Amino acid sequence: MRLMLVHGRSQGGKVPAELEATWMGTLRKGLKQAGLKFPTNVEVDFPFYADRLDDFVKDFELPADPAFMPKGSPVFDEYAAFKAQVADEMRARLNISDAQVQAEAGDLPTEKGPQNWAWVQAIVRLLDKHLTGVSEGAIEILLRDVFLYSRKTAVRSEINKIVAKSLNNDTTVVVGHSLGSVIAYDVLRDASGKPPLFVTVGCPLGIRAIRSALGTLTNPAGTRGWYNAYDSRDVVALYPLDSDNFDVDPAITNNGTVNNQTSNRHGIVGYLNDRNVAHAIREGFG
């Protein structure tokens, strides 16, 4: 039996073995809280795609400074439209008012609406403050990476190949976090064999602007189904994967009771050390 772990955003330049050790060490802590141990006969796969994704960011020349708007760039125009759509959807879910956005935008001559870049940037900063307590660019990076993956075929194809290499007939449980949950979902849809259990944590697939780029929705898990866990304060995972936001058959099991202790309520450590999440992963091995 094999466990496949698919990491999220902002992991470029890191050591894959160290990231895997963090995931597994934290999972064991969650299992201990649940009175369980990790099976001795399970091998772990940790496909690492972050460095290649960073290469694509450079290739597509999306600006590092979100305040900078390159003139006559079709890719940037497409990204700006995507970013506005996601930001507006997320701010509606968090009940961020026009007055709050205007206050964040400052004295700039700002027209309301997603077609205005200063307005969109103000929303993104507010979302980031909800996520991190300060505006440190985490949402900006997430939106950039999700845009490239979901909207650019070359990016999606190559990243999927990296992850799919770790998927085989012995893969029993697949766990995806953040952007990794989107990638894992897409890879599993095209897989010839379905792993019994698919687990997503901090998953943004409930956001319409993100899932709409992935075509017909489906449940790619096998006999044990799809288990989705989230912290209701996690800005990235604002929407449960339920019939309103991800209508598939069989339905996805949602757990919105996670108390993610990381500062942004989104970190993988705060998900894998949850006893219910760890228990669900362990059950996948029978």
Side-chain angles (χ1 to χ4, degrees), residues 138-158:
I139 290 293
E140 182 77 38
I141 294 170
L142 173 74
L143 295 184
R144 181 198 65 194
D145 290 354
V146 171
F147 163 74
L148 285 176
Y149 176 78
S150 64
R151 296 302 202 272
K152 296 301 170 186
T153 302
V155 178
R156 191 167 164 186
S157 176
E158 188 159 340

Side-chain angles (χ1 to χ4, degrees), residues 58-118:
K58 295 175 184 176
D59 292 343
F60 280 93
E61 298 181 335
L62 290 177
D65 181 359
F68 175 70
M69 290 185 66
K71 300 294 184 181
S73 170
V75 172
F76 182 81
D77 291 345
E78 188 181 351
Y79 170 55
F82 169 82
K83 183 175 175 180
Q85 191 178 359
V86 177
D88 208 48
E89 190 175 346
M90 293 174 80
R91 79 118 171 181
R93 178 72 171 182
L94 289 171
N95 295 315
I96 295 174
S97 67
D98 285 356
Q100 288 174 287
V101 179
Q102 185 66 67
E104 180 65 31
D107 296 329
L108 296 174
T110 305
E111 297 179 7
K112 298 178 182 179
Q115 72 283 353
N116 185 279
W117 190 240

Side-chain angles (χ1 to χ4, degrees), residues 154-191:
V155 178
R156 191 167 164 186
S157 176
E158 188 159 340
I159 298 300
N160 282 7
K161 286 178 182 177
I162 293 171
V163 174
K165 285 180 182 178
S166 295
L167 187 67
N168 57 56
N169 293 334
D170 294 327
T171 304
T172 311
V173 179
V174 174
V175 181
H177 171 236
S178 192
L179 173 61
S181 65
V182 179
I183 296 169
Y185 165 74
D186 204 37
V187 168
L188 291 180
R189 288 198 309 174
D190 292 334

Side-chain angles (χ1 to χ4, degrees), residues 13-285:
K14 296 183 179 180
V15 180
E18 293 178 359
L19 291 174
E20 180 184 331
T22 298
W23 279 60
M24 291 306 301
T26 308
L27 175 58
R28 287 188 170 91
K29 290 179 181 178
L31 288 170
K32 185 176 181 179
Q33 290 189 56
L36 299 168
K37 292 183 178 180
F38 189 73
T40 57
N41 60 334
V42 173
E43 297 293 327
V44 179
D45 296 303
F46 195 87
F48 185 72
Y49 63 86
D51 288 345
R52 189 66 190 99
L53 182 59
D54 284 354
D55 290 339
F56 278 120
V57 171
K58 295 175 184 176
D59 292 343
F60 280 93
E61 298 181 335
L62 290 177
D65 181 359
F68 175 70
M69 290 185 66
K71 300 294 184 181
S73 170
V75 172
F76 182 81
D77 291 345
E78 188 181 351
Y79 170 55
F82 169 82
K83 183 175 175 180
Q85 191 178 359
V86 177
D88 208 48
E89 190 175 346
M90 293 174 80
R91 79 118 171 181
R93 178 72 171 182
L94 289 171
N95 295 315
I96 295 174
S97 67
D98 285 356
Q100 288 174 287
V101 179
Q102 185 66 67
E104 180 65 31
D107 296 329
L108 296 174
T110 305
E111 297 179 7
K112 298 178 182 179
Q115 72 283 353
N116 185 279
W117 190 240
W119 182 264
V120 172
Q121 284 304 118
I123 294 174
V124 171
R125 290 195 299 271
L126 287 171
L127 292 171
D128 214 20
K129 288 176 181 179
H130 272 273
L131 179 67
T132 65
V134 294
S135 187
E136 60 179 23
I139 290 293
E140 182 77 38
I141 294 170
L142 173 74
L143 295 184
R144 181 198 65 194
D145 290 354
V146 171
F147 163 74
L148 285 176
Y149 176 78
S150 64
R151 296 302 202 272
K152 296 301 170 186
T153 302
V155 178
R156 191 167 164 186
S157 176
E158 188 159 340
I159 298 300
N160 282 7
K161 286 178 182 177
I162 293 171
V163 174
K165 285 180 182 178
S166 295
L167 187 67
N168 57 56
N169 293 334
D170 294 327
T171 304
T172 311
V173 179
V174 174
V175 181
H177 171 236
S178 192
L179 173 61
S181 65
V182 179
I183 296 169
Y185 165 74
D186 204 37
V187 168
L188 291 180
R189 288 198 309 174
D190 292 334
S192 56
K194 307 299 181 186
L197 178 65
F198 180 33
V199 176
T200 50
V201 292
C203 178
L205 281 170
I207 298 172
R208 184 183 306 106
I210 293 175
R211 68 175 182 267
S212 64
L214 300 174
T216 303
L217 303 182
T218 185
N219 186 334
T223 54
R224 293 185 181 272
W226 181 345
Y227 178 90
N228 178 61
Y230 61 98
D231 185 319
S232 59
R233 300 164 297 177
D234 181 352
V235 176
V236 177
L238 282 173
Y239 296 89
L241 303 185
D242 57 13
S243 58
D244 290 333
N245 303 298
F246 209 93
D247 191 15
V248 293
D249 184 24
I252 300 163
T253 299
N254 282 277
N255 170 19
T257 67
V258 176
N259 177 23
N260 191 313
Q261 309 91 5
T262 60
S263 60
N264 61 11
R265 310 297 181 183
H266 181 66
I268 187 60
V269 169
Y271 279 116
L272 290 182
N273 67 8
D274 181 271
R275 61 181 297 161
N276 294 319
V277 173
H279 184 272
I281 294 171
R282 176 63 182 83
E283 276 198 327
F285 298 105

